[in-house]
């Protein structure tokens, strides 16, 4: 222990001697000029400063990015909606008179032609009422003829002739009413279609306004959806449309109706697409995803990875503009494809950053390391 203490004292003494008496030599060995040289105003040796390229940023400090020299091309666009299938026509057939049903019921799902008898009602006393009305009509015709001749010869008053004519017209109306009642005994299908319900049961009592059957027409079938008010001008009548049903089936048709008045609650406009359904295989009420063709727009095809967000959370792309300065453009995705995404909102010709866009912000200069092209 005593030896170590003596050794430490010797080292400290040597260090103090070098600092106090040999300071200039120590500074020279360390690469610094002597204090008297600094006092005389001699400049210190400094490394060569790099050349500045963009203000305070140097060439080494600029971020290197990869850009895609993109040229906008005209692409077809579509309005995508969600809707459902709907029968082209649907009606609930009802009775206009009272009576017992004397026809056997037709089963739901049966296809019926226009004019097919759905329900037939027992005529009851209606034929007798028709016969009575026809007899009164014959009597009224004879009376009217006699009254007219007597009035012409001056043997009867004009009042009597007018009364006879009124009686004749009343008898004619009674005959027509009786014939109408008999015509209403048979309730027929107003158009060709499918029975959505069984017809009235044999022997049931049917009152005026009672349900006989429900008939729907499925060919053609409608696909109904609702357009937002911001997109209503993009869809035109007779435009082509394609739909994928919930069953996986794809069908095509044309736009046949666009509402002129918006729904007061949703502020949307009803649109209908008519689709051929010859085999009646498309059912009423199926969910459908619809794409309606719209006018083409100029758009860019870029990799999906090129999309980014700005500080406000807006989706867009960063573009290298004049003097290699970065600019941000909000975009709208028109379509997603296997090759990439089709976007609008960017100038027709643009150098879109595809690699490095997350490391730069709007207004800074960048160094283009690699260029690609989709022209």
């Amino acid at each position: 222990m005593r030896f170590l203490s003596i050794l430490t004292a010797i080292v400290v003494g040597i260090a103090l001697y070098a600092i106090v008496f040999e300071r200039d030599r120590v500074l020279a060995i360390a690469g610094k000029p002597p204090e008297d040289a600094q006092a005389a105003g001699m400049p210190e040796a400094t490394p060569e400063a790099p050349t500045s390229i963009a203000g305070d940023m140097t060439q080494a400090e600029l971020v290197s990015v990869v850009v895609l020299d993109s040229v906008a091309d005209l692409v077809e666009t579509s309005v995508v909606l969600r809707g459902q299938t709907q029968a082209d026509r649907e009606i609930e057939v009802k009775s206009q008179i009272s009576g017992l049903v004397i026809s056997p019921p037709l089963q739901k799902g049966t296809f019926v032609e226009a004019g097919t008898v759905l329900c037939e009602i027992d005529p009851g006393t209606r034929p007798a009422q028709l016969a009575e009305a026809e007899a009164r009509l014959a009597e009224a015709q004879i009376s009217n003829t006699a009254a007219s001749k007597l009035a012409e010869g001056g043997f009867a008053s004009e009042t009597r002739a007018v009364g006879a004519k009124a009686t004749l017209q009343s008898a004619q109306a009674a005959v027509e009413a009786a014939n109408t009642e008999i015509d209403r005994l048979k309730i027929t299908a107003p158009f060709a279609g499918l029975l959505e319900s069984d017809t009235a049961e044999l022997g049931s009592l049917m009152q005026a306004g009672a349900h006989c059957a429900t008939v729907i027409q499925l060919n053609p079938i409608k696909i109904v959806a609702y357009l937002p008010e911001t997109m209503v001008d993009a869809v035109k009548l007779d435009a082509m449309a394609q739909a994928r049903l919930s069953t996986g089936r794809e069908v095509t048709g044309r736009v046949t109706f666009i509402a002129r008045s918006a729904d007061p609650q949703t502020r949307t406009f009803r649109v209908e697409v008519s689709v051929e359904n010859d085999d009646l295989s498309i059912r009423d009420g199926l969910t459908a995803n619809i794409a309606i063709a719209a006018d083409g727009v100029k758009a860019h095809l870029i990799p999906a990875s090129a999309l980014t967000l700005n500080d406000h959370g807006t989706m867009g792309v960063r573009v290298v503009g004049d003097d290699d300065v970065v600019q941000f453009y909000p975009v709208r995705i028109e379509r997603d494809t296997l090759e990439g995404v089709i976007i609008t909102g960017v100038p027709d010709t643009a150098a879109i950053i595809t690699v490095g866009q997350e490391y730069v912000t709007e207004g800074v200069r960048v160094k283009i390391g690699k260029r690609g092209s989709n022209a």
Side-chain angles (χ1 to χ4, degrees):
M1 293 294 296
R2 188 174 182 182
F3 174 78
L4 291 176
S5 300
I6 296 172
L7 181 61
T8 302
I10 294 173
V11 171
V12 171
I14 294 173
L16 290 174
Y17 175 84
I19 294 173
V20 174
F21 297 100
E22 302 293 334
R23 185 173 183 178
D24 291 342
R25 292 184 180 181
V26 172
L27 293 176
I29 294 173
K32 290 189 176 182
E35 287 184 354
D36 55 348
Q38 295 181 14
M42 292 179 64
E44 295 186 18
T46 58
E48 183 177 357
T51 304
S52 176
I53 293 184
D56 295 335
M57 299 191 65
T58 64
Q59 177 69 30
E61 293 172 334
L62 291 177
V63 176
S64 179
V65 296
V66 176
V67 300
L68 173 68
D69 291 323
S70 179
V71 178
D73 195 8
L74 188 65
V75 297
E76 294 182 355
T77 59
S78 60
V79 176
V80 179
L81 303 171
R82 191 174 179 86
Q84 65 178 21
T85 59
Q86 190 175 98
D88 187 53
R89 302 166 74 182
E90 180 174 354
I91 188 171
E92 187 176 352
V93 184
K94 297 183 177 181
S95 173
Q96 294 179 286
I97 59 176
S98 306
L100 292 174
V101 177
I102 60 173
S103 60
L106 298 177
Q107 299 298 316
K108 56 186 174 184
T110 303
F111 182 83
V112 294
E113 296 287 351
T116 301
V117 177
L118 303 177
C119 300
E120 186 174 358
I121 299 175
D122 182 18
T125 61
R126 291 179 179 87
Q129 293 172 355
L130 175 60
E132 180 182 1
E134 290 175 342
R136 292 185 179 278
L137 175 60
E139 180 184 5
Q141 288 174 338
I142 295 173
S143 298
N144 179 64
T145 301
S148 298
K149 289 183 178 181
L150 290 173
E152 290 174 359
F155 299 104
S157 63
E158 288 292 330
T159 304
R160 181 178 177 183
V162 172
K165 186 174 182 180
T167 302
L168 174 62
Q169 291 176 340
S170 177
Q172 290 173 338
V175 171
E176 291 177 1
N179 281 320
T180 300
E181 282 283 300
I182 291 178
D183 290 340
R184 290 174 176 173
L185 294 173
K186 293 183 178 180
I187 305 173
T188 59
F191 52 79
L194 291 172
L195 289 178
E196 193 64 11
S197 66
D198 294 338
T199 60
E201 184 60 57
L202 174 67
S204 61
L205 178 61
M206 184 169 286
Q207 302 291 341
H211 174 82
C212 169
T214 300
V215 183
I216 61 173
Q217 187 178 72
L218 297 178
N219 186 32
I221 196 166
K222 296 184 294 188
I223 302 180
V224 179
Y226 290 87
L227 277 168
E229 56 185 342
T230 56
M231 302 171 66
V232 66
D233 288 338
V235 177
K236 308 297 182 184
L237 281 175
D238 204 39
M240 288 296 298
Q242 186 172 14
R244 178 184 289 273
L245 306 180
S246 55
T247 58
R249 179 177 174 182
E250 292 187 355
V251 295
T252 58
R254 291 188 177 274
V255 176
T256 54
F257 173 77
I258 303 173
R260 290 287 180 177
S261 177
D263 183 279
Q265 275 74 41
T266 62
R267 307 303 306 163
T268 55
F269 295 81
R270 180 184 175 100
V271 58
E272 296 179 0
V273 176
S274 182
V275 176
E276 293 297 324
N277 188 26
D278 296 331
D279 58 357
L280 307 180
S281 59
I282 304 176
R283 301 173 185 272
D284 180 19
L286 294 176
T287 302
N289 292 320
I290 314 165
I292 303 175
D295 294 335
V297 295
K298 282 194 170 183
H300 296 265
L301 175 64
I302 66 170
S305 59
L307 297 173
T308 186
L309 299 176
N310 65 3
D311 294 339
H312 303 289
T314 303
M315 183 177 64
V317 294
R318 290 191 170 96
V319 174
V320 178
D322 297 336
D323 298 327
D324 294 339
V325 176
V326 175
Q327 296 175 328
F328 180 84
Y329 288 93
V331 300
R332 173 181 173 182
I333 298 178
E334 298 292 341
R335 196 183 311 159
D336 193 357
T337 68
L338 295 176
E339 294 79 17
V341 291
I342 297 176
I343 62 168
T344 55
V346 182
D348 290 348
T349 302
I352 301 172
I353 302 177
T354 57
V355 177
Q357 70 273 18
E358 302 295 345
Y359 301 101
V360 295
T361 58
E362 188 172 11
V364 304
R365 293 185 63 185
V366 294
K367 178 174 62 177
I368 299 177
K370 184 179 180 181
R371 307 187 79 107
S373 176
N374 65 353

